[in-house]
Amino acid sequence: MKIAFLLHNVYAVGGTVRTTLNLAAALIEHGGHEVEIVSLSRHREAPRFPVDPRITLVPLVDLRAGTPDTLHPAYGKPARAYPVADKRHHQYALLHDMRVRAYLEERCEADVVIGTRPGLNAYLAQWGPKRALRIAQEHLRHDAHSDALLRTVARRYRTLDALVTVTEEDAEVYRARMRLPGVRILSVPNIVPPFAVPPSDGSSKIIAAAGRLAPGKRYDLLLEAFTAVSAKHPDWELRIYGGGAQEPRLRALVDELGLRGRARLMGTVSPIEPEFARASIVVSASDAESFGMTLVEAMRCGVPVVSTDAPLGPAEIITDGVDGRLVPVGNAGALAESVIDLIEDEPARRKMGAAALASAHRYDPEPIVARYESLFTDLAASRRRRAWQKLHARLRHPTR
């Protein structure tokens, strides 16, 4: 089977890029499929993440200075088919509309085409080959999108075959709030492949956290919690990995809280697994998570995670008290208390780390590939029935 992914920019750094590359490689390795990734944009010579050489890359618009694409008349005009309400609309030109339409209508030979963000799913719904299965992936939460964007994609998604979220809780939200007769709405988690690093032995006095330094990740709350941890256990260190706009503010907060030398901003590190394996506890203080890749990556390294019970991912990843701890969102005291409990109970910490390592196998490539293959089979077998459901809905509610 030939499978094509529509991706914003495979040459950039981001969670969707990494998870798409993981899934593409797994579909080849464990399913024997032929896979190509269609990158709407290209801004550098080579991708930042390693790409399995068996994956075919198809860049559509070359943004590098001086290339013919940047001189094309359509490059200077805004996209018309890409939804205006999508946050990335300003990064799309009329040339993107033209190139993706030409690819989907004239060049695409895939049996399955998968879009990876709302704007690309809208392209797929409008121009995707009718003979192919057309699947929308959602890597963010339903509630992370504006009402205007949700109204736009609801109209477009009705022509698709399936909508796949990364958590079951988010799939339930879509089922309740977006009426899509004949469109399968289901969840399939991201693949988080095993990493060749010895697991943590739980003996270091290091607490780690990783992710973009953005307001929603609540590193300010983490530093507040660590103030209480450090007061009780001054020999423990907090290491925060990542970059972003919040870095100057967080550095100032470290000084303000008197944590210099004990709380460190380490910058962006990739891969992150060796750093997690050096830690004994990983912490996430986020207000919201679409999935929680760093949680699984930490568990892959045999490290228990203390996380806020943020919507939507953590509770589907962590079993509280077994392979990690869940605490209320926005509660620095509860975050500090759970970390202190693990610091002071080393046997429990090691046991929880071993359970985390075992639990992380849920995100192995093989079971995730099997779920996608089952979806492809079911969608192909149910095409006529689902087409009738769509037609029936249009006849009953022509104005919706």
Side-chain angles (χ1 to χ4, degrees):
M1 182 176 286
K2 186 169 184 177
I3 301 165
F5 290 88
L6 301 181
L7 191 61
H8 171 65
N9 188 345
V10 76
Y11 300 86
V13 174
T16 302
V17 177
R18 187 158 46 121
T19 55
T20 300
L21 288 171
N22 286 343
L23 177 56
L27 286 165
I28 295 170
E29 180 67 27
H30 303 286
H33 302 288
E34 183 181 351
V35 179
E36 67 182 21
I37 293 179
V38 181
S39 183
L40 273 288
S41 294
R42 176 184 190 171
H43 72 295
R44 64 195 311 270
E45 179 64 27
R48 292 186 182 273
F49 290 124
V51 178
D52 188 307
R54 295 171 293 181
I55 298 171
T56 301
L57 297 185
V58 183
L60 295 185
V61 178
D62 195 335
L63 307 180
R64 290 175 290 175
T67 61
D69 285 351
T70 61
L71 304 176
H72 195 290
Y75 179 70
K77 298 178 181 178
R80 296 172 186 168
Y82 195 90
V84 174
D86 189 299
K87 294 177 183 177
R88 291 197 183 271
H89 179 267
H90 67 285
Q91 296 178 359
Y92 282 76
L94 182 60
L95 185 59
H96 287 93
D97 290 356
M98 294 164 54
R99 292 281 171 81
V100 73
R101 181 173 187 174
Y103 168 80
L104 290 171
E105 292 187 343
E106 301 168 17
R107 295 167 53 195
C108 182
E109 299 177 349
D111 304 295
V112 180
V113 186
I114 301 174
T116 56
R117 65 173 297 114
L120 303 183
N121 297 334
Y123 276 151
L124 178 59
Q126 187 169 355
W127 295 318
K130 300 298 187 288
R131 57 172 179 71
L133 297 174
R134 297 179 295 167
I135 298 172
Q137 276 185 347
E138 183 50 77
H139 289 265
L140 295 178
R141 298 172 296 116
H142 174 281
D143 294 348
H145 300 308
S146 67
D147 289 343
L149 180 59
L150 290 170
R151 285 194 298 270
T152 298
V153 298
R155 293 192 296 271
R156 305 278 183 89
Y157 285 7
R158 290 170 191 162
T159 66
L160 298 176
D161 292 288
L163 169 62
V164 179
T165 67
V166 292
T167 66
E168 181 55 30
E169 187 176 348
D170 202 34
E172 287 289 353
V173 173
Y174 272 98
R175 292 183 194 114
R177 300 186 192 175
M178 192 175 287
R179 188 172 180 276
L180 299 173
V183 180
R184 286 278 307 279
I185 301 176
L186 72 159
S187 67
V188 181
N190 289 324
I191 288 173
V192 184
F195 194 84
V197 60
S200 169
D201 63 7
S203 64
S204 73
K205 295 184 177 182
I206 298 171
I207 302 162
R212 288 179 299 106
L213 303 185
K217 297 297 184 180
R218 294 305 310 272
Y219 290 112
D220 58 332
L221 186 80
L222 174 56
L223 289 169
E224 181 186 343
F226 184 67
T227 303
V229 174
S230 186
K232 235 183 158 180
H233 298 279
D235 51 341
W236 279 69
E237 176 186 345
L238 172 65
R239 297 179 180 178
I240 298 174
Y241 298 90
Q246 290 269 297
E247 183 173 345
R249 178 173 178 266
L250 293 173
R251 289 195 182 280
L253 186 58
V254 167
D255 290 341
E256 181 185 321
L257 295 173
L259 296 174
R260 181 178 288 189
R262 286 176 287 172
R264 305 175 188 274
L265 300 181
M266 309 297 290
T268 302
V269 176
S270 181
I272 191 61
E273 287 87 349
E275 304 305 321
F276 282 161
R278 293 185 180 98
S280 289
I281 302 168
V282 168
V283 182
S284 171
S286 294
D287 283 337
E289 288 285 354
S290 300
F291 175 66
M293 285 287 288
T294 57
L295 308 186
V296 184
E297 287 166 341
M299 295 166 74
R300 281 282 190 203
C301 299
V303 183
V305 180
V306 177
S307 172
T308 50
D309 190 8
L312 296 162
E316 293 190 20
I317 295 171
I318 296 169
T319 303
D320 187 32
V322 176
D323 50 24
R325 295 291 302 274
L326 293 171
V327 301
V329 173
N331 191 325
L335 201 63
E337 183 180 346
S338 290
V339 171
I340 290 170
D341 285 347
L342 289 179
I343 287 175
E344 295 179 348
D345 191 345
E346 186 172 341
R349 188 170 75 238
R350 291 176 183 268
K351 182 179 179 181
M352 204 171 279
L357 185 60
S359 178
H361 285 294
R362 292 175 289 161
Y363 305 98
D364 283 350
E366 296 94 327
I368 306 302
V369 167
R371 289 173 69 168
Y372 269 103
E373 289 181 325
S374 176
L375 172 62
F376 301 157
T377 300
D378 291 347
L379 291 177
S382 63
R383 260 187 153 158
R384 286 189 177 183
R385 174 172 53 81
R386 290 183 298 100
W388 167 246
Q389 290 173 346
K390 294 177 182 183
L391 176 61
H392 186 61
R394 286 199 299 271
L395 293 174
R396 287 188 62 191
H397 305 286
T399 61
R400 285 193 179 181

